Amino acid sequence: MIRVLRFDNYRVMPWKNGRGTTAQIAIHPEGATFPGDDFLWRVSSAKVTESGPFSVFPGCDRILAVWQGTGMMLNGQLLMPLVPLKFMGEDAQQAELVGGPVLDLGVIYRRDRVTAEMKLENILPGAERLSLALGEGTHLLVCAEGSFDVEGIRASSGDTMRLDGPALVNLRGHGSVPTRIFRISLALKALA
């Protein structure tokens, strides 16, 4: 089953540290509170307008990518546009903006219960399609640039398609510019 999550419908909420806001794209389980004890993972996007500390999330891992903007430094490590970086949620992170504000895309998940990855997929102009073999779990295809469709359902820049695997999906890009898609895969670990 494919569900489209539209950019205009993301839930906007304050950061844990109160220094900004984030647009929540998806959370598991649905209806969980963040940063409450009942969430297992959350995917969101935030506009970072000033340098400063990141919120700390003990017991969680994070994956972060600069979606729009020049980039930022996290504890001295350059985070380039569209390149995901994974780090531990309890580690203090100091962000320094490079060349102005950025829009980021982030995943926060409980490392003892969830596995997660984020990859950038590209559909070049003139390419017939991009086929993705999706494993078990939940998969979010966040349209970073351009537009694409799956089975006739279209997503434009900022929209997200949610699919539960396993599945083989064919994505078709539109237009004369590359379509860039963040593929986020999340799976629950088996309880021992």
Side-chain angles (χ1 to χ4, degrees):
M1 178 173 155
I2 300 171
R3 286 193 293 169
V4 180
L5 311 172
R6 299 290 179 198
F7 178 81
D8 292 339
N9 295 331
Y10 298 156
R11 183 175 167 216
V12 177
M13 59 188 60
W15 289 349
K16 182 179 173 184
N17 67 12
R19 295 177 58 108
T21 59
T22 190
Q24 180 173 287
I25 297 170
I27 192 167
H28 182 81
E30 289 188 41
T33 56
F34 184 86
D37 292 334
D38 58 343
F39 95 97
L40 295 178
W41 57 258
R42 182 182 78 151
V43 176
S44 65
S45 176
K47 185 163 190 174
V48 183
T49 59
E50 61 183 31
S51 298
F54 270 31
S55 299
V56 174
F57 293 94
C60 295
D61 281 343
R62 300 180 70 172
I63 306 172
L64 189 73
V66 171
W67 182 344
Q68 297 172 4
T70 306
M72 71 174 134
M73 303 286 287
L74 283 182
N75 289 356
Q77 182 175 357
L78 181 60
L79 184 56
M80 297 292 296
L82 307 177
V83 179
L85 175 70
K86 184 177 179 179
F87 55 94
M88 295 177 72
E90 51 270 288
D91 291 348
Q93 296 287 336
Q94 180 68 28
E96 299 294 330
L97 295 176
V98 176
V102 300
L103 182 67
D104 70 26
L105 179 66
V107 181
I108 301 175
Y109 60 99
R110 298 199 187 279
R111 76 173 64 93
D112 63 336
R113 300 283 313 278
V114 177
T115 61
E117 71 173 352
M118 180 191 298
K119 290 180 153 182
L120 184 71
E121 304 285 358
N122 295 292
I123 306 173
L124 300 176
E128 188 173 312
R129 67 177 191 238
L130 173 67
S131 294
L132 297 177
L134 305 175
E136 293 288 341
T138 299
H139 306 277
L140 301 172
L141 305 177
V142 182
C143 189
E145 296 175 5
S147 64
F148 71 95
D149 73 64
V150 175
E151 297 177 11
I153 302 170
R154 192 167 184 150
S156 298
S157 184
D159 294 340
T160 300
M161 283 201 190
R162 179 177 177 156
L163 303 98
D164 292 303
L168 176 63
V169 295
N170 294 309
L171 285 63
R172 195 166 55 93
H174 299 280
S176 59
V177 297
T179 298
R180 302 192 193 288
I181 301 161
F182 286 110
R183 176 170 52 101
I184 301 169
S185 297
L186 303 131
L188 300 181
K189 293 181 178 179
L191 295 175

